[in-house]
Amino acid sequence: AQSVTQLGSHVSVSEGALVLLRCNYSSSVPPYLFWYVQYPNQGLQLLLKYTSAATLVKGINGFEAEFKKSETSFHLTKPSAHMSDAAEYFCAVSAVSGGFKTIFGAGTRLFVKA
Amino acid sequence: SQTIHQWPATLVQPVGSPLSLECTVEGTSNPNLYWYRQAAGRGLQLLFYSVGIGQISSEVPQNLSASRPQDRQFILSSKKLLLSDSGFYLCAWSGSSGANVLTFGAGSRLTVL
């Protein structure tokens, strides 16, 4: 079984500051890991995914995440926040073994201050 | 390219009334289809998924049901809505192989009064 824990339901940063959104996962089999972003009243969009290739994954809009098996973590970072990054971010896990279910974390809302 | 359509976008229904939300996918064949519900501050809860016509797996016992009458059509229904059914419902699809990347519809906001 898989599970995801996102630390911090709300994160606030200043424009231009580092963005760090934390995600820890639990999986009994090798995982696929994802970050999705949701803007208000919209569906989710894929930011990036880890599929057992490179442990540092680059995504859209300057975001990246690093898979750390020893820490069971997949934290999302961006060197310099932009106002347009304000949204809700979801970490998710599914199983490499072919399961069809993707399990989502509770989400972290990112606020960007001018 | 593939697109996913979900409707209606918003819905206000009285308690005890029926529900039908529809989702269709274009540009792909034999997709895996999903219904998620998003409640405020609680992330996404998987309700149903389907790997083929007529094949529905339910994740959470409740008064909702799902059907897949055609390959690229997924319907979420209820015979009698409860107040607790209020939420933001998201349909999604993924390919039948690979990393299970989900592509989401724009969502349907249901308010039960």
Side-chain angles (χ1 to χ4, degrees):
Chain A
Q2 292 93 29
S3 66
V4 175
T5 301
Q6 291 184 242
L7 300 176
S9 59
H10 297 83
V11 170
S12 182
V13 302
S14 298
E15 193 173 21
L18 171 71
V19 175
L20 171 60
L21 305 182
R22 298 178 187 274
C23 172
N24 288 90
Y25 70 93
S26 173
S27 179
S28 55
V29 297
Y32 292 133
L33 294 162
F34 310 85
W35 277 99
Y36 289 85
V37 61
Q38 184 181 34
Y39 298 99
N41 295 311
Q42 295 184 24
L44 281 70
Q45 304 171 35
L46 180 70
L47 267 181
L48 50 80
K49 64 181 186 286
Y50 167 76
T51 58
S52 75
T55 56
L56 182 62
V57 181
K58 295 187 183 298
I60 61 172
N61 301 336
F63 285 93
E64 62 182 36
E66 186 172 9
F67 171 68
K68 291 188 176 180
K69 184 177 179 180
S70 61
E71 299 177 7
T72 62
S73 69
F74 191 58
H75 302 329
L76 181 71
T77 60
K78 181 174 180 178
S80 177
H82 191 274
M83 297 297 288
S84 61
D85 294 327
E88 188 150 23
Y89 293 80
F90 293 92
C91 184
V93 62
S94 67
V96 169
S97 59
F100 300 107
K101 294 183 284 186
T102 299
I103 306 301
F104 285 82
T108 297
R109 183 165 294 281
L110 175 66
F111 297 92
V112 181
K113 300 175 291 186
Chain B
S1 63
Q2 302 92 357
T3 56
I4 178 168
H5 303 280
Q6 185 180 342
W7 70 94
T10 58
L11 197 59
V12 180
Q13 293 286 99
V15 169
S17 65
L19 171 73
S20 181
L21 301 179
E22 190 163 343
C23 173
T24 59
V25 180
E26 296 177 357
T28 187
S29 298
N30 195 32
N32 296 330
L33 296 172
Y34 308 82
W35 279 110
Y36 283 88
R37 178 169 58 201
Q38 185 177 21
R42 295 175 61 183
L44 277 74
Q45 179 186 38
L46 179 61
L47 302 176
F48 301 95
Y49 68 93
S50 171
V51 300
I53 296 174
Q55 301 178 58
I56 309 294
S57 295
S58 174
E59 288 297 299
V60 182
Q62 59 209 322
N63 71 321
L64 297 172
S65 63
S67 62
R68 184 171 178 172
Q70 300 180 44
D71 181 45
R72 290 168 289 179
Q73 183 185 27
F74 205 27
I75 298 171
L76 183 68
S77 304
S78 174
K79 292 182 180 178
K80 290 185 177 182
L81 284 168
L82 306 173
L83 287 174
S84 57
D85 292 324
S86 293
F88 193 50
Y89 289 82
L90 290 157
C91 181
W93 75 272
S94 70
S96 53
S97 63
N100 209 42
V101 173
L102 296 172
T103 301
F104 285 86
S108 298
R109 184 164 300 284
L110 171 66
T111 303
V112 182
L113 301 175

